Amino acid sequence: MSGSTQHVPPDSRLLRMVARLESVLFKRRLAVLLAFAVFTACMAVLALGLRMSAGFEKTLPQQHEYIKTFNQYREALFGANRLIVVVHARHGSIWNPPVLRQLLGVTEAVNYLQGVDRSSVTSLWTPNVFFTEITEEGFKALPITGGDIIPDKLNPQVIADIRERVAAGGYLGNLVSRDQTSAMVLAELQDSDPQTGQPLDYRAFNQLLENKVRKQFENADVEIQIIGFAKAIGDIGEEASKVMLFFGVALLLTALSVYWYCRSLRLTLLPLACSLSSLVWQFGTLRLLGFGLDPLAILVPFLVFAIGVSHGVQQINFIVREIADGKNTEQAARHSFTGLLIPGTLALVTAFISFITLTLIPIPMIRELAIAASIGVGYKIVTNLVMLPLAASYFSFSREYAQRAIGRREQHSRWLSWLALVARPRNAWIVVALGTALFGVAVWQSQGRHVGSLQAGAAELRPEARFNRDAADITARFDVGLDWLTVVFEVAPAGQLDACARPDAQLFMDDFAQQMNGVPGVLSVRSVADVLKGVNAGLNEGNPKMNTITRDARGLGSQFGSANNQLHGFSSSDCRAQGVNLYLSDHKATTIKGVVAAVEAFRRSNQLSGVKIRLASGNAGVQAATNEVLERSELPMMLYVYGAILLLVLLAYRDWRAMLACCLPLTVATWLGYWFMKDLNIGLTVATLPVMVLATGIGVDYAFYIYNRLQLHLGAGLDISSALERTLHETGVATVFTALTLSIGVATWSFSPLQFQADMGKLLTFMFLVNMVMAVTLLPAFAVVLESLFPRRAGRLRTPSFAAH
């Protein structure tokens, strides 16, 4: 590029359209602003009714094989939405009257909680927990605490009898801890109230757990520990309600930074007010659509707010520069409107498309999040590109103020002149080479990054949170815990034998269980075969040699009938669906992936006629499905995002060089983000995926504004080095300032009591900064290198139609 390059007139049709829009809006600016004010007030009223909304069903990718299995057999087998309450004796064992009575009280309290499936409640005090006994009358299966035990008359002999029954029933390690200091109450939750049809309010349910269970029964002798999806979501919701504190801190820091930048209270409040208006519109619209705000998506509206601040600073920068050039405030606002409407719209449309692509992921919660974020970004086009310059036109600023502001800005940005050296061909080649090497290292270092949770317990909460401490204690003392994978065996009748009378099927499942016991991450395995082996031993005077599966079909069918009460949650009534529960040490992505791979390997290499192995139920099965969907969807989704960006850049600049110059630095930044996630052990989850998409949108903002000004100055005849230096002074300063301001604001989230919010703060801080660095270094370097390799013909430099000013 050289000074001889001719300037092509901008697209007159688009210019006329923008000019007409400017004329209409600014002639009726008071009416338009009043309409915005009325609309904001109405939306604020609606927004006040917005509530936290979390649902187990929303986290399920319904079309995945595992979720189809889960839905088909969730009534017959243990599902994934399980609540676990543990009564732990602080001193000694549970075998004393006060602790056992507390266990009974907890069992009754859980049984009557709204949302609990009462038929699923299981503890030593429920009638569905049996032990096998051989009497003079024959074989009997009796409840552990049947009608012969009265809670108020628990003497040492009665307690000794209960203890023996627990051992005989095989409940050590599951309902009673191995060290016998804790006892467990299990229950399945319904995602909606069967009477009202309303979804379960997890925050309200969490308060019931705390008030009706923990506070009521926890004392100096007994500790109450509670884990499960509902408890985790409830705790997350409670902590998420504190997000306003961190948002307030971020807002204050942003306001102080903007004031330092422009030294004007009015110009500080203006972009913040416009961005907050769009936030109010977003919340009101979500209420109109019947959506709530999911605790895991609580940050998204405030991330969209950050995008608004970014565009607002660009508007302020433009207006002040125009005033310094001698325009009055209204003229400056008009020029800001026409000069930034199209690049700003393109940037926001790109962010809009980026969020819309999240709807490709078949998880309802992510789709709701994508819709909410897209609504917010769509409103930014109105509030930041229309409302802001209209409102600014009513203010009055002197030329002296604007010149002082520009002078301060240039004084603080002298170091940016050094970046203009990037535009020299030799330096540009060096920067591109370094950028290429950095990209290669980032791709290499990000290999093996994980999809899903990377820590035990609830990854969204801090490791020291009460929930995670409870989860760790329960996992340490029990062979079962929060995390389990249910493998379903579909057993068909064989000849004259029904599904309950097939010894070969039980031997097949027992062989599977034995192999899974050796898989890393599997604490224990429980299945129908375990129960039937115990029954067979009981029928043979407890002979340990008879602790095996009987080969007699008729005898096996009889044992199924006698053990029916002990098979709740493990087998359907007709035995056609039988579950094998693999209890895991945690639900880390690596653990689940290894266990699922072992099950898949067994399924491929072992077949039995009439028996089909299906994955999977249990919370680990649900998590495995979610992880697989995220991993499978990520690449296509990012390709769609980049495809949309490339198309918009091509439409804006009609030049394939612009496509590469804008998108290659963005690609480097994305892979650096993946490297950052791997090094900080941040897995790709439903919470982190939107952040990477948002970071792409922010990066596009930087690229559009910088490339737009660069092309304008090149079209005016400046050489590339001079054009870049002027661009950095005009737009680069605002870009760097915005990135630093937003980074400082979101960095405060690192102190949040929510682990995922802290991770998001770190990730966003990094992505804001790295996208800014790529935009002011690699983008111009790529532009120079591409021009030197593929020079335009004279007269072919296309100045964007929206760069007329």
Side-chain angles (χ1 to χ4, degrees):
M1 295 181 187
S2 66
S4 62
T5 303
Q6 298 179 13
H7 174 57
V8 175
D11 189 326
S12 58
R13 288 178 301 176
L14 189 54
L15 279 180
R16 285 197 300 269
M17 183 184 71
V18 173
R20 282 197 299 269
L21 186 59
E22 174 201 332
S23 177
V24 170
L25 290 173
F26 277 84
K27 281 182 180 179
R28 299 170 176 82
R29 51 183 174 158
L30 181 59
V32 173
L33 289 173
L34 286 175
F36 286 153
V38 171
F39 185 68
T40 303
C42 294
M43 284 299 184
V45 173
L46 287 171
L48 291 174
L50 191 66
R51 296 289 181 266
M52 288 282 186
S53 172
F56 179 71
E57 298 288 341
K58 293 198 304 181
T59 66
L60 307 181
Q62 296 292 341
Q63 299 306 311
H64 194 279
E65 173 201 351
Y66 301 173
I67 305 304
K68 289 180 179 179
T69 301
F70 164 72
N71 286 330
Q72 183 174 349
Y73 296 112
R74 66 190 303 173
E75 300 298 329
L77 306 176
F78 282 129
N81 197 1
R82 180 183 293 183
L83 177 70
I84 299 175
V85 182
V86 169
V87 177
H88 174 62
R90 298 182 189 270
H91 314 289
S93 72
I94 63 169
W95 305 119
N96 60 77
V99 176
L100 288 175
R101 291 192 189 105
Q102 289 292 80
L103 177 63
L104 174 60
V106 170
T107 302
E108 292 175 340
V110 169
N111 189 59
Y112 288 103
L113 289 175
Q114 184 180 4
V116 168
D117 179 2
R118 294 182 182 178
S119 66
S120 70
V121 178
T122 305
S123 86
L124 296 184
W125 286 103
T126 55
N128 56 359
V129 178
F130 290 78
F131 75 103
T132 305
E133 184 178 52
I134 302 295
T135 67
E136 295 176 354
E137 300 175 358
F139 179 84
K140 287 186 179 180
L142 300 173
I144 293 290
T145 52
D148 59 333
I149 294 178
I150 301 174
D152 292 337
K153 297 182 179 180
L154 290 174
N155 57 49
Q157 183 57 50
V158 171
I159 293 176
D161 290 342
I162 296 175
R163 190 171 185 174
E164 289 179 7
R165 294 175 182 182
V166 167
Y171 295 110
L172 287 177
N174 47 82
L175 286 183
V176 177
S177 64
R178 292 185 300 273
D179 60 5
Q180 302 185 46
T181 63
S182 306
M184 184 178 288
V185 180
L186 302 174
E188 290 292 325
L189 300 185
Q190 299 167 309
D191 205 46
S192 60
D193 190 318
Q195 296 180 344
T196 65
Q198 294 297 315
L200 180 64
D201 186 335
Y202 283 90
R203 287 191 68 191
F205 185 79
N206 187 52
Q207 291 172 358
L208 286 176
L209 285 175
E210 290 294 331
N211 296 326
K212 300 293 185 181
V213 180
R214 199 190 305 266
K215 289 182 180 178
Q216 185 169 342
F217 295 98
E218 191 169 66
N219 54 40
D221 298 319
V222 168
E223 178 186 3
I224 303 299
Q225 300 171 329
I226 309 173
I227 58 176
F229 174 84
K231 181 59 180 167
I233 288 295
D235 286 351
I236 292 169
E238 291 296 329
E239 297 294 350
S241 63
K242 303 173 185 175
V243 74
M244 293 304 296
L245 172 63
F246 290 94
F247 176 63
V249 172
L251 180 62
L252 177 62
L253 291 175
T254 302
L256 292 174
S257 299
V258 174
Y259 181 79
W260 177 86
Y261 180 74
C262 64
R263 304 297 172 89
S264 168
L265 183 60
R266 288 173 293 174
L267 288 180
T268 297
L269 295 178
L270 187 58
L272 296 178
C274 290
S275 293
L276 286 172
S277 295
S278 65
L279 199 63
V280 171
W281 296 4
Q282 179 185 9
F283 285 162
T285 305
L286 290 178
R287 174 76 189 287
L288 279 177
L289 295 175
F291 291 154
L293 200 56
D294 195 285
L296 294 179
I298 188 68
L299 295 181
V300 171
F302 304 124
L303 299 182
V304 176
F305 170 81
I307 294 178
V309 172
S310 173
H311 287 274
V313 170
Q314 294 288 350
Q315 291 277 357
I316 290 174
N317 186 59
F318 200 116
I319 290 171
V320 172
R321 190 171 63 246
E322 290 292 305
I323 294 174
D325 287 341
K327 311 291 191 306
N328 62 36
T329 306
E330 182 179 346
Q331 290 172 331
R334 284 175 176 266
H335 286 184
S336 175
F337 174 83
T338 55
L340 296 181
L341 179 64
I342 301 302
T345 300
L346 286 174
L348 288 170
V349 167
T350 303
F352 178 87
I353 293 174
S354 299
F355 279 120
I356 281 294
T357 57
L358 288 172
T359 60
L360 297 174
I361 300 176
I363 298 176
M365 196 200 82
I366 293 184
R367 286 178 169 171
E368 282 189 18
L369 181 152
I371 293 170
S374 301
I375 290 170
V377 171
Y379 281 143
K380 293 295 177 192
I381 297 175
V382 178
T383 58
N384 288 87
L385 301 181
V386 179
M387 181 193 292
L388 195 154
L390 286 176
S393 67
Y394 279 101
F395 296 148
S396 177
F397 299 98
S398 67
R399 185 178 184 182
E400 290 73 20
Y401 156 76
Q403 289 177 337
R404 286 197 305 271
I406 294 295
R408 282 195 303 269
R409 207 167 302 166
E410 291 181 352
Q411 183 179 3
H412 291 304
S413 63
R414 287 175 181 172
W415 61 273
L416 285 174
S417 300
W418 289 94
L419 285 179
L421 298 176
V422 170
R424 296 180 181 177
R426 179 174 175 273
N427 296 340
W429 277 101
I430 294 173
V431 171
V432 168
L434 291 174
T436 304
L438 185 61
F439 174 73
V441 173
V443 172
W444 171 50
Q445 288 293 329
S446 62
Q447 296 302 306
R449 60 194 176 87
H450 298 292
V451 177
S453 172
L454 297 179
Q455 73 174 52
E460 296 82 7
L461 298 170
R462 294 277 191 178
E464 64 273 14
R466 177 68 187 268
F467 180 95
N468 285 335
R469 287 188 283 113
D470 285 353
D473 288 346
I474 292 170
T475 302
R477 291 196 303 269
F478 290 83
D479 292 332
V480 298
L482 175 64
D483 306 306
W484 78 101
L485 181 85
T486 300
V487 181
V488 179
F489 285 74
E490 294 180 336
V491 182
Q496 300 298 317
L497 301 178
D498 63 22
C500 297
R502 288 192 57 179
D504 59 337
Q506 293 305 318
L507 291 169
F508 185 61
M509 281 184 274
D510 192 45
D511 182 47
F512 169 78
Q514 295 302 319
Q515 290 197 33
M516 292 303 106
N517 262 318
V519 175
V522 176
L523 292 176
S524 65
V525 181
R526 286 183 61 81
S527 66
V528 172
D530 294 325
V531 177
L532 295 179
K533 286 192 288 185
V535 171
N536 194 54
L539 288 170
N540 290 273
E541 300 179 348
N543 188 342
K545 292 183 179 180
M546 301 305 295
N547 189 40
T548 184
I549 303 295
T550 180
R551 271 62 169 177
D552 177 61
R554 190 160 44 183
L556 183 66
S558 175
Q559 289 178 11
F560 252 104
S562 61
N564 183 57
N565 289 324
Q566 300 180 62
L567 297 177
H568 173 70
F570 287 97
S571 176
S572 60
S573 57
D574 60 2
C575 306
R576 288 176 176 264
Q578 300 178 39
V580 178
N581 284 358
L582 312 180
Y583 294 99
L584 311 182
S585 57
D586 53 60
H587 60 255
K588 293 179 181 178
T590 48
T591 302
I592 294 176
K593 197 168 187 176
V595 173
V596 169
V599 175
E600 294 279 13
F602 182 92
R603 183 164 65 172
R604 285 192 302 269
S605 57
N606 297 273
Q607 288 86 33
L608 179 64
S609 178
V611 177
K612 182 180 179 181
I613 302 176
R614 290 184 59 179
L615 283 161
S617 185
N619 75 312
V622 169
Q623 189 64 55
T626 303
N627 291 349
E628 287 188 11
V629 166
L630 288 175
E631 188 169 19
R632 190 168 59 241
S633 303
E634 182 196 12
L635 179 60
M637 187 201 67
M638 292 304 290
L639 289 177
Y640 282 125
V641 170
Y642 275 90
I645 293 172
L646 289 170
L647 180 60
L648 287 171
V649 173
L650 180 62
L651 290 174
Y653 298 103
R654 312 289 178 85
D655 185 3
W656 62 269
R657 299 170 189 80
M659 296 165 60
L660 294 180
C662 289
C663 291
L664 289 177
L666 195 63
T667 305
V668 176
T670 298
W671 283 98
L672 286 172
Y674 288 143
W675 180 8
F676 183 83
M677 289 175 66
K678 182 185 176 185
D679 275 7
L680 265 68
N681 287 324
I682 302 174
L684 189 71
T685 65
V686 294
T688 58
L689 185 60
V691 172
M692 295 304 293
V693 175
L694 173 103
T696 303
I698 290 287
V700 170
D701 289 353
Y702 298 158
F704 269 122
Y705 282 119
I706 288 179
Y707 198 80
N708 175 51
R709 298 301 298 178
L710 181 63
Q711 289 292 86
L712 172 65
H713 293 310
L714 289 172
L718 293 179
D719 63 88
I720 183 67
S721 182
S722 300
L724 178 58
E725 184 171 0
R726 185 169 296 185
T727 295
L728 290 175
H729 279 297
E730 293 174 350
T731 303
V733 177
T735 299
V736 172
F737 168 78
T738 302
L740 291 175
T741 299
L742 297 180
S743 297
I744 292 171
V746 298
T748 61
W749 295 352
S750 301
F751 303 100
S752 169
L754 289 174
Q755 184 65 49
F756 86 95
Q757 186 177 348
D759 289 341
M760 294 310 93
K762 297 171 187 174
L763 183 57
L764 274 171
T765 299
F766 178 81
M767 293 306 296
F768 284 153
L769 292 176
V770 77
N771 270 299
M772 176 268 292
V773 172
M774 294 300 109
V776 299
T777 57
L778 270 185
L779 188 153
F782 272 121
V784 173
V785 168
L786 288 170
E787 184 63 26
S788 65
L789 290 175
F790 308 100
R792 296 178 177 89
R793 296 177 184 176
R796 294 297 301 275
L797 176 61
R798 185 179 185 86
T799 302
S801 58
F802 45 83
H805 289 287

